[in-house]
Amino acid sequence: MTGAYIPGDSVLHRLPAGAKLAGLLACCTVVVLLSSPWALAGAAAVVAALYAVSGVGAAAAWAQVRPVRWFALALFAMQFLLATPAQAVATTLRVVVAVALAGLVTVTTRTSAVMACLERVLSPLRLAGVDPVRLSLLLSLAVRSVPVVSGLATRVREAQRARGVEWSVRAFGVPLVVGALRHADTLGEALAARGFDDE
Amino acid sequence: MIEFSDVRVRLGGREVLRGITATLRERRVGVVGANGSGKSTLARLVNGLVTPTEGAVTVLGMDTRRQAAKIRRRVGFVFTDPDAQIVMPTVAEDVAFSLRRSGLPAAEIERRVRRALAEHGLQDHADHPAHQLSGGQKQLLALCSVLVLDPDILVMDEPTTLLDLRHSRHVAEILRALPQRILVATHDLDLLAGFDRVLVVDEGRVVADDEPEQAIRHYRKLMA
Ligand SMILES: Nc1ncnc2c1ncn2[C@@H]1O[C@H](COP(=O)(O)OP(=O)(O)OP(=O)(O)O)[C@@H](O)[C@H]1O
Ligand SMILES: [Mg+2]
């Protein structure tokens, strides 16, 4: 959900966010329960077909599972050595299929649609004193802040390299935390300026 | 109309503004001054992000201390760093965020968002993540998200500081074409061409208050 939505007009794009999230939950449950490598390979084929239906392209599909590639590889190697090859295949496929499914929902659903759906689902929490609008805004802000803070981390690192500072947790962490706090501060002001504090 | 009456602001034990009195009726008002002179604080006073320690600020007839929420609905604010004010992950969503309480049907919101984006040349980026925009485009998006609400007054704190010459000129052009009242704090003196009035702030006081040309001349002398 790091704003990775890819516009399109496929059936998957048009499905309501709630249906997709519920489907994701159901599919992940099934994937966790499947234990035969053949069944999981079948699931992987189904996911690949869904990606084809979505029309987002192979590059976008790869971008979804790419972050877990080393983890998947390590998992496979470990299971291969400690358990059976069949188990290694099954466990690895399970992880990759689940991540790919989550990624598919991400690229075909706008964050705002997910938020609107969450607001509806969470609305009973109103009775418990939780404001669902605030909660869903919090999630949007978190999503939005990921690239901002990672950009900040890159700048801090570059500035230090330019000054010839060796890698040190403190020299990196302090400016990063200060920068992140400052960002949080200005973000709060910006929200106030955009009229959020009076809701 | 914006009215400062003997406004003093103390922040962190320091007197940041020391007695500002001014009535701003002009359509385009600029604020210039050295780093740390109090420009941003002055700008923030207008929508109640900062409230006076002493004195009062009245905007459109409302006191910023008591009616900040109401004032903010009619006063748009653009910050220097657009990254801080873009709150939604994608471009169109951020503009739509401004309209979330408008009570308009979703289709109408969508239409207004598209139109606002098109007006600022961002239509091809509607569904892109905001962090993929250039600094200049981000500032245009921030401006777009504020203007879509059609505020009566637009306050900007150094809106062109992070922009290249082309984007700065683009922002200047947008400002020139806006029907709204504008208050801009800036170091970009070119931006103030065609303004009606410029305040020069120094160490928390207004030391000159004139037509742009005279005020800027005073400011240059001050900085020499
Ligand atoms: N929250 C705060 N706490 C303490 N001091 C502050 C705070 N905010 C601002 N100041 C101080 O108030 C003074 C005026 O700040 P302000 O940001 O208004 O200046 P400015 O004219 O906008 O400067 P610049 O051109 O650098 O943006 C500065 O000396 C600053 O250090
Ligand atoms: Mg400032």
Side-chain angles (χ1 to χ4, degrees):
Chain A
M1 283 203 309
T2 47
Y5 173 72
I6 298 172
D9 200 27
S10 73
V11 188
L12 286 171
H13 281 87
R14 275 171 296 162
L15 266 182
K20 279 184 273 192
L21 290 172
L24 176 63
L25 195 66
C27 289
C28 284
T29 311
V30 170
V31 166
V32 168
L33 294 178
L34 289 179
S35 55
S36 127
W38 294 110
L40 281 159
V46 171
V47 173
L50 285 174
Y51 266 96
V53 169
S54 77
V56 295
W62 171 236
Q64 301 311 307
V65 289
R66 207 180 78 104
V68 295
R69 66 196 188 284
W70 299 119
F71 175 72
L73 207 64
L75 189 67
F76 181 81
M78 219 164 66
Q79 293 270 317
F80 194 86
L81 294 175
L82 300 176
T84 64
Q87 267 171 343
V89 170
T91 311
T92 312
L93 272 177
R94 203 175 283 141
V95 170
V96 173
V97 166
V99 169
L101 272 171
L104 185 60
V105 173
T106 303
V107 293
T108 58
T109 318
R110 282 195 174 86
T111 314
S112 51
V114 176
M115 294 309 148
C117 168
L118 275 178
E119 271 169 37
R120 274 196 308 277
V121 173
L122 297 176
S123 56
L125 286 181
R126 238 180 243 289
L127 299 174
V130 178
D131 181 348
V133 175
R134 269 172 197 271
L135 204 58
S136 88
L137 175 72
L138 194 69
L139 290 171
S140 308
L141 288 178
V143 171
R144 163 74 189 126
S145 294
V146 170
V148 174
V149 174
S150 78
L152 186 65
T154 311
R155 284 203 297 281
V156 168
R157 193 65 206 115
E158 279 171 357
Q160 292 185 342
R161 247 189 237 135
R163 295 174 57 191
V165 179
E166 289 302 310
W167 170 258
S168 114
V169 173
R170 207 160 136 237
F172 179 71
V174 171
L176 185 65
V177 169
V178 169
L181 288 177
R182 187 173 302 137
H183 173 66
D185 221 28
T186 33
L187 200 60
E189 270 199 328
L191 279 174
R194 293 182 71 178
F196 202 82
D197 57 348
D198 49 306
E199 289 179 9
Chain B
M1 195 178 76
I2 304 169
E3 198 166 0
F4 299 91
S5 23
D6 199 20
V7 173
R8 286 165 196 279
V9 174
R10 208 165 293 124
L11 289 172
R14 277 196 55 218
E15 185 129 73
V16 175
L17 292 180
R18 320 162 177 234
I20 304 266
T21 299
T23 304
L24 308 178
R25 285 199 185 80
E26 291 74 8
R27 205 150 66 91
R28 269 133 240 275
V29 180
V31 180
V32 295
N35 288 128
S37 56
K39 299 181 298 297
S40 297
T41 310
L42 187 71
R44 276 151 202 260
L45 277 169
V46 178
N47 69 348
L49 282 178
V50 171
T51 49
T53 315
E54 276 170 52
V57 179
T58 316
V59 177
L60 302 163
M62 296 177 276
D63 188 315
T64 59
R65 227 180 326 228
R66 282 191 304 264
Q67 288 171 290
K70 225 172 184 175
I71 290 172
R72 282 177 196 152
R73 246 166 264 157
R74 298 176 59 188
V75 178
F77 199 104
V78 175
F79 294 79
T80 310
D81 181 7
D83 262 326
Q85 71 176 316
I86 298 171
V87 299
M88 286 289 153
T90 66
V91 171
E93 285 170 327
D94 193 70
V95 181
F97 175 80
S98 292
L99 294 171
R100 71 199 177 285
R101 287 179 314 169
S102 59
L104 295 168
E108 176 61 19
I109 289 185
E110 170 98 8
R111 223 172 49 79
R112 288 193 189 194
V113 169
R114 300 277 148 181
R115 195 176 56 204
L117 289 176
E119 273 169 21
H120 296 98
L122 291 170
Q123 65 276 20
D124 295 336
H125 302 282
D127 288 311
H128 290 182
H131 64 90
Q132 277 178 7
L133 298 179
S134 75
Q137 290 171 326
K138 280 185 200 169
Q139 191 58 292
L140 290 180
L141 170 59
L143 189 57
C144 200
S145 292
V146 168
L147 289 178
V148 75
L149 283 170
D150 199 17
D152 294 315
I153 299 177
L154 182 64
V155 182
M156 307 174 100
D157 188 5
E158 299 194 38
T160 57
T161 299
L162 301 175
L163 306 187
D164 65 20
L165 197 55
R166 194 159 53 93
H167 280 105
S168 300
R169 286 200 181 130
H170 186 88
V171 168
E173 258 165 54
I174 293 175
L175 295 195
R176 221 158 285 143
L178 285 180
Q180 278 96 345
R181 281 171 197 289
I182 305 173
L183 179 81
V184 188
T186 186
H187 293 290
D188 175 3
L189 302 179
D190 292 339
L191 187 62
L192 302 175
F195 269 49
D196 304 308
R197 180 173 174 184
V198 172
L199 309 183
V200 182
V201 182
D202 191 43
E203 299 190 358
R205 286 195 185 86
V206 175
V207 294
D209 178 353
D210 214 325
E211 314 225 307
E213 220 172 295
Q214 280 86 331
I216 289 170
R217 200 174 307 135
H218 187 105
Y219 174 56
R220 286 190 199 281
K221 232 184 282 161
L222 195 69
M223 292 296 104

